[in-house]
Amino acid sequence: MSSSTTYRLVRPSAAGGAAPPVLDEHQQRVVDHPGGPLLVLAGPGTGKTTTLVEAIVDRIERRGAAPESVLALTFSRKAAEQLRDRVTARLGRTTSTQLSSTFHSFAYGLIRQYSPAELYAAPLRLLSAPEQDVVLQGLLTDTPESVHWPESLRRAVGTRGFAREVQSVLARAREKGLDGPALQKLGFEGDLPEYVAAGLFLDQYLDVLDSQSAVDYADLIRRAVIEAEAHRHELRARFSHVFVDEYQDTDPGQVALLRALAGDGGNLTVVGDPHQSIYGFRGAEVRGILEFPSAFRQRSGTPAEVVALRTTRRFGPRLLLASQRVARRLSLTGSIEEEARRAFLEPVAAANDLGEGRVEVLTFDTERAEAEHLADLLRRAHLEDEVPWSEMAVLVRSGRTSIPALRRSLIGAGVPVEVAADDTPLVQEPALQPLIEALRAVVNLDNDDPEHPDFLDPVRAHTLLVSPLVGLDATDVRGLSRLLRTAEKARTSASGEPPRSSPELLRAVIVQPDLLDGADGPVVARVRGLARLLAGARRRLDAGSTPEEVLWELWSGTSWPARLRMSVESGGPGARLAHRDLDAVCALFETAARAEEQRGHTSVATFLDTLAAQQIPADTLADRGVRSEAVRLLTAHRSKGLEWRLVVVAHVQEDGWPD
């Protein structure tokens, strides 16, 4: 006789989730908000994310809203993931819906859902920022089919600075809902021929993107607004509660999207801090949060309710006082009522384990002196005050101009440093210069035109010889030059030709390794190895190999990878540098592979042109993991929402940075 087992499904109790936090009275007002539009003014450390999580949990657990009817929007993948994880932990269960996403991810989903399948020749692809940069520069050429710009701008066409300005104008126009014809009309009405040309160029640019089944970030929001307006009633029925974090960073296009989703008195809760509106260069307008009460009115027609979170828990009273003295200079006009404005401007600091905090201002005569003192400051904090490396950060204004040099200085001084992989353009990574130059040399081995911009000239040849691919030092190069000059004099004395100079001979020995016939020694062997490496990579190139395959031929054909591996294993400052170099090399290979996947077969020359044209960091699907014990070196924009025990703001200039 067999026995049977009976299983009974039991609904988990609410106690299975994480314990609810203790909220202050202002946070509780947000959670208990009965419905309709609500603006939450929240300064740093006031618990805005906790409040947002509790409000979402309240709508699902206490008010019975289905998880799929709740939509939370924010501005970064990391913030969306953290918000989703915290809500899931509080609920004590997973949900079948995404719950939170970025604005651009949500917009992309709308377009994919509602656009006709036959509209695009291939699956719609979101254009990365570097790819957009390259497309724009490709269109800004002086050809018969190109847009004719006003005479005053004609000489600037083709420059990277002009491309950046055009990109900014097109992005701002679309964020404000202007298409090509509307931009042309604006130009005609205002007698602005540059706007007329920009409108024509916008149409041309969008036609190119359509032909590639691609869309850029600015057009993504514009198209999403069109779809949201067309399906307004369906979307409002689907999303009964909409939450937005970092609302001060919205642009007019995103505000229009929210109006389609939850306007006319819908349940829309937005959280933000007008003093932290730092994305104006991307089109964000602080006016959006300042005018929220009048822009999103309740069903009765009265302005939206405003609640200010007043208790700061992140830092002590001294830091709060210093920050408030700066913040008071910032304008806070708009439709926010006086009582809420005053409450937001007068926060109080709660007791914390780190004390009152400290603010120091130090000045230096040179950047070198600043970097040396900065390294000493970080080392002392770690050794004397026992502050973990990971609890310290250095903030700079520009990732492109400040991070590479400062990172090298700190690492050289023994301070472990971590930089996000996408904070520095690949072409500016010091570790990648040898590979990129070698790849360029492979393409131009048979290029005999000294006027060509990619010609393998003596300077590039010398760079390759002293790079990690070969590893010669100055003494080795001088010895090689003497050897080549001796052979050259013997050859020209018989033929009567004038002898070539040493730089020309160094260049020739890479292209014609037979110049070393009859010579031997370790330096000669390494130079021959470089010549064979470039020749082998060229054979692969001629056989139709992809950029990634040619790069691998160059990378794996030297002892450089083995030397980096030995440095990693030996530990110390050299290991940290080797880790950083290996990360950069991996990013280069990923970029080459991604270019091949997205555009089909791409020539090595085209890949090099794309890399050289990138003036902004390459996009990655996610920020690379930060190793546990390292000082973060990052831009002020990337630091938003993060916290450390010790923060240094570097390269400060009065009336310049911070502004």
Side-chain angles (χ1 to χ4, degrees):
M1 179 178 176
S2 61
S3 61
S4 62
T5 303
T6 302
Y7 296 93
R8 184 166 60 92
L9 299 179
V10 179
R11 181 184 298 274
S13 63
V22 177
L23 306 179
D24 60 34
E25 59 174 310
H26 309 290
Q27 292 175 304
Q28 195 62 50
R29 280 183 60 192
V30 177
V31 175
D32 295 338
H33 180 65
L38 172 66
L39 169 61
V40 182
L41 297 175
T46 54
K48 66 180 181 65
T49 304
T50 297
T51 306
L52 201 59
V53 169
E54 292 306 306
I56 294 173
V57 171
D58 174 83
R59 305 309 186 263
I60 296 174
E61 289 290 288
R62 190 169 69 85
R63 307 189 194 186
E68 58 268 20
S69 70
V70 177
L71 173 65
L73 298 173
T74 186
F75 284 86
S76 71
R77 287 182 291 267
K78 184 176 181 180
E81 292 169 0
Q82 290 177 342
L83 182 61
R84 182 166 57 249
D85 292 344
R86 291 182 63 173
V87 170
T88 300
R90 277 287 289 116
L91 292 174
R93 66 181 190 272
T94 59
T95 61
S96 59
T97 59
Q98 189 174 4
L99 194 91
S100 64
S101 69
T102 65
F103 266 98
H104 291 98
S105 175
F106 178 74
Y108 183 76
L110 279 184
I111 297 173
R112 290 295 299 268
Q113 179 180 356
Y114 292 115
S115 295
E118 65 276 6
L119 185 61
Y120 302 101
L124 185 63
R125 177 173 63 87
L126 182 59
L127 203 67
S128 70
E131 289 174 322
Q132 181 189 6
D133 199 34
V134 172
V135 170
L136 279 169
Q137 291 187 45
L139 291 175
L140 288 170
T141 55
D142 191 12
T143 59
E145 64 272 13
S146 299
V147 170
H148 294 286
W149 295 89
E151 190 63 36
S152 59
L153 300 175
R154 192 71 55 82
R155 295 179 65 181
V157 175
T159 65
R160 288 173 178 170
F162 185 71
R164 285 194 295 269
E165 291 299 321
V166 171
Q167 182 178 8
S168 177
V169 168
L170 300 190
R172 300 298 85 80
R174 286 176 290 168
E175 286 159 3
K176 297 180 185 301
L178 299 175
D179 56 10
L183 195 54
Q184 293 177 57
K185 180 181 178 183
L186 187 64
F188 285 124
E189 293 176 349
D191 193 22
L192 298 169
E194 57 269 27
Y195 277 28
V196 176
L200 293 170
F201 183 83
L202 177 56
D203 284 340
Q204 187 182 69
Y205 170 70
L206 294 179
D207 287 343
V208 171
L209 294 195
D210 287 343
S211 69
Q212 298 177 0
S213 296
V215 62
D216 65 13
Y217 281 95
D219 207 49
L220 189 66
I221 297 297
R222 185 185 68 86
R223 298 190 186 198
V225 171
I226 295 173
E227 298 297 347
E229 289 288 354
H231 302 86
R232 173 185 297 195
H233 299 296
E234 177 185 346
L235 291 172
R236 289 184 178 182
R238 186 197 309 178
F239 301 114
S240 57
H241 297 277
V242 179
F243 296 86
V244 181
D245 195 9
E246 307 289 357
Y247 187 77
Q248 75 279 353
D249 293 330
T250 53
D251 59 42
Q254 291 159 340
V255 172
L257 179 60
L258 291 173
R259 189 174 288 113
L261 293 174
D264 302 318
N267 295 324
L268 174 63
T269 300
V270 304
V271 183
D273 178 359
H275 290 162
Q276 294 188 55
S277 180
I278 59 175
Y279 290 110
F281 67 97
R282 293 182 182 174
E285 293 187 1
V286 69
R287 185 178 60 184
I289 190 171
L290 298 178
E291 299 293 344
F292 180 87
S294 58
F296 289 87
R297 294 180 175 271
Q298 302 181 49
R299 296 188 190 279
S300 62
T302 58
E305 185 180 349
V306 182
V307 176
L309 304 184
R310 298 196 57 190
T311 305
T312 298
R313 303 169 181 83
R314 183 172 298 171
F315 41 74
R318 288 184 180 175
L319 282 177
L320 177 62
L321 178 61
S323 64
Q324 287 303 109
R325 284 176 175 173
V326 175
R328 287 194 187 103
R329 306 175 193 171
L330 304 177
S331 174
L332 201 63
T333 58
S335 60
I336 299 175
E337 60 185 17
E338 180 60 30
E339 182 181 354
R341 182 186 291 109
R342 188 167 53 251
F344 170 70
L345 292 174
E346 299 175 357
V348 295
N352 63 76
D353 297 334
L354 300 178
E356 295 185 345
R358 186 175 76 250
V359 179
E360 295 181 355
V361 178
L362 304 173
T363 59
F364 303 94
D365 295 331
T366 65
E367 288 190 5
R368 179 177 178 179
E370 179 186 5
E372 291 174 350
H373 183 87
L374 174 55
D376 181 67
L377 174 68
L378 297 173
R379 287 197 305 265
R380 287 180 179 273
H382 180 66
L383 298 174
E384 297 176 5
D385 300 332
E386 298 183 347
V387 180
W389 293 119
S390 58
E391 287 294 316
M392 295 185 275
V394 179
L395 309 186
V396 297
R397 182 179 191 177
S398 171
R400 280 179 284 173
T401 60
S402 299
I403 284 181
L406 194 54
R407 181 185 66 207
R408 288 281 168 178
S409 297
L410 292 178
I411 291 177
V415 177
V417 174
E418 186 62 42
V419 180
D422 52 346
D423 256 343
T424 306
L426 285 177
V427 291
Q428 293 186 15
E429 284 283 358
L432 298 185
Q433 294 305 312
L435 277 175
I436 294 175
E437 285 300 324
L439 193 61
R440 197 181 307 278
V442 169
V443 176
N444 292 277
L445 276 181
D446 57 353
N447 184 352
D448 295 325
D449 181 10
E451 300 300 321
H452 193 280
D454 290 336
F455 175 69
L456 180 57
D457 58 22
V459 174
R460 283 178 167 153
H462 184 275
T463 300
L464 285 174
L465 291 172
V466 298
S467 74
L469 294 175
V470 184
L472 301 187
D473 57 23
T475 302
D476 295 332
V477 173
R478 284 196 297 270
L480 178 63
S481 297
R482 285 195 298 270
L483 178 66
L484 292 172
R485 280 201 309 271
T486 301
E488 179 73 359
K489 288 178 181 178
R491 184 185 69 82
T492 56
S493 62
S495 63
E497 300 175 16
R500 289 173 287 183
S501 65
S502 294
E504 290 175 324
L505 289 171
L506 290 177
R507 185 257 176 196
V509 77
I510 294 177
V511 181
Q512 301 171 297
D514 57 339
L515 291 176
L516 293 173
D517 288 348
D520 56 12
V523 172
V524 171
R526 279 187 277 176
V527 175
R528 281 201 184 105
L530 173 64
R532 285 196 300 268
L533 179 68
L534 297 180
R538 180 55 189 252
R539 285 193 294 272
R540 297 210 64 166
L541 174 65
D542 293 339
S545 295
T546 66
E548 184 183 13
E549 292 168 338
V550 179
L551 273 174
W552 180 253
E553 179 83 9
L554 294 171
W555 167 250
S556 62
T558 73
S559 61
W560 188 21
R563 295 199 304 271
L564 286 176
R565 186 162 53 247
M566 290 175 59
S567 297
V568 170
E569 294 171 352
S570 63
R576 288 189 287 270
L577 286 172
H579 271 301
R580 181 65 212 181
D581 291 348
L582 285 169
D583 285 346
V585 171
C586 289
L588 178 63
F589 276 101
E590 288 177 6
T591 301
R594 191 161 62 245
E596 186 70 19
E597 292 170 357
Q598 293 176 349
R599 293 189 291 271
H601 187 75
T602 302
S603 71
V604 174
T606 302
F607 175 70
L608 281 170
D609 291 341
T610 303
L611 277 182
Q614 289 180 6
Q615 294 300 298
I616 53 180
D619 291 354
T620 56
L621 292 178
D623 188 7
R624 295 183 187 276
V626 178
R627 282 185 284 275
S628 58
E629 282 308 313
V631 176
R632 283 299 304 268
L633 176 57
L634 66 171
T635 62
H637 295 90
R638 183 180 285 278
S639 71
K640 190 172 183 179
L642 305 177
E643 56 184 276
W644 300 271
R645 285 179 57 184
L646 173 62
V647 176
V648 179
V649 182
H651 302 338
V652 170
Q653 293 290 329
E654 189 171 0
D655 297 328
W657 151 249
D659 54 17

